[in-house]
Amino acid sequence: MTVLARRPNDLFRERFQFDYNHAQLTADETVKLIDATRAGRITRAYYVNPTGLAEDATNFFAVQLLKGATVVASYSTDSAGAGTNSIAADTFTELTLSATDADRVFAAGDDLSFKADEGGTATLPPGRLIVEGYYL
């Protein structure tokens, strides 16, 4: 049997996945997820919320994955941005990864955190952030 991969080296990489479930949020919140013990690269981050959240120009949430103070991935329901910014109920929503590859790479000892940044008086229903990648 032949196994084809987009990048052949991906077959030999040790992959990781971790997730974070948060309660309902009505204010900013930052939670440390991991203190990395090995270097790695984030390849995907997505968010799912059973209730969803409509886009709005004044009452919104930005969901972010941080490496220290650097934004690795983000998604915002601020309708002032481009495109559709709502979070559909029970739908996996891809976070936008940083365009800078160095931002997506972390070293042993780096902290990775979940940040929910509230705009206005929005309420973010309970949801989950899922992060995938591989060790270097």
Side-chain angles (χ1 to χ4, degrees):
M1 179 173 139
T2 303
V3 177
L4 299 177
R6 190 172 2 168
R7 293 178 305 237
N9 288 339
D10 283 352
L11 295 173
F12 304 106
R13 294 183 192 218
E14 184 180 355
R15 305 196 60 78
F16 65 81
Q17 177 179 321
F18 62 88
D19 61 329
Y20 172 68
N21 295 308
H22 67 82
Q24 177 174 297
L25 301 174
T26 57
D28 293 355
E29 178 166 299
T30 302
V31 176
K32 182 176 166 180
L33 302 177
I34 64 169
D35 180 9
T37 57
R38 296 171 57 188
R41 174 176 274 115
I42 305 294
T43 57
R44 184 177 184 204
Y46 48 102
Y47 180 78
V48 62
N49 192 295
T51 307
L53 186 63
E55 62 183 311
D56 192 287
T58 55
N59 298 308
F60 59 88
F61 262 95
V63 175
Q64 300 174 331
L65 174 65
L66 302 175
K67 175 182 71 174
T70 302
V71 177
V72 175
S74 64
Y75 190 87
S76 177
T77 61
D78 183 356
S79 63
T84 302
N85 301 314
S86 60
I87 296 173
D90 269 338
T91 303
F92 289 98
T93 302
E94 289 280 339
L95 275 68
T96 302
L97 291 174
S98 171
T100 306
D101 186 60
D103 291 348
R104 298 187 307 266
V105 173
F106 58 88
D110 283 350
D111 293 332
L112 297 177
S113 302
F114 166 82
K115 181 177 181 181
D117 191 12
E118 180 192 29
T121 60
T123 297
L124 184 62
R128 175 187 293 174
L129 171 72
I130 300 127
V131 178
E132 296 177 350
Y134 58 86
Y135 292 110
L136 298 176

